[in-house]
Amino acid sequence: ASMLHQGARVQSASGKVVEVVNPPEQHQVDSVIELKAGTASLVVSPDHRVLVPGFPGNKTVKAEELSEGDVVILDGIPARLSSCERKTGKTLVIRLGFKPDLPVAVSGLLQ
């Protein structure tokens, strides 16, 4: 997230380029969720939107709605969560907003 700034362009999960709307801001949450699928691991706030398979097309759900064994979209491919662990404690996270408001993969930053 340190490379992101207002006006930065990133690639959405669908391949469309979106723009960071506001400067990234830190805020504190009471807990985080660590998601693991294959060799990938990501720590997010409970309200972080995660892309999952849907019909028709993919949809997003909040991280707090996921459980071990659920399927998420990882780099465009369905992957089963091997772990979904809530960790309590005050934690600083970065909040980002995109225009248009589309799901963005962690690897979506354009060079």
Side-chain angles (χ1 to χ4, degrees):
S2 64
M3 294 171 43
L4 294 176
H5 54 84
Q6 185 173 3
R9 297 180 315 137
V10 297
Q11 187 172 347
S12 73
S14 67
K16 183 174 182 169
V17 175
V18 297
E19 185 175 317
V20 177
V21 182
N22 298 311
E25 62 181 11
Q26 286 188 340
H27 70 105
Q28 193 172 53
V29 293
D30 294 326
S31 65
V32 292
I33 297 175
E34 183 177 19
L35 303 172
K36 292 183 181 179
T39 60
S41 176
L42 182 65
V43 177
V44 297
S45 62
D47 65 348
H48 183 89
R49 295 180 300 171
V50 179
L51 199 60
V52 298
F55 184 79
N58 297 324
K59 63 180 185 173
T60 60
V61 299
K62 292 181 179 180
E64 65 188 351
E65 298 172 12
L66 295 169
S67 300
E68 183 177 321
D70 286 349
V71 176
V72 298
I73 302 298
L74 178 61
D75 292 331
I77 301 168
R80 192 164 306 279
L81 288 175
S82 57
S83 176
C84 183
E85 183 181 349
R86 181 181 288 261
K87 299 180 178 191
T88 58
K90 302 281 186 194
T91 306
L92 285 177
V93 297
I94 304 289
R95 178 179 288 153
L96 294 169
F98 302 102
K99 182 179 181 181
D101 185 20
L102 297 173
V104 172
V106 172
S107 60
L109 184 65
L110 294 177
Q111 300 300 323

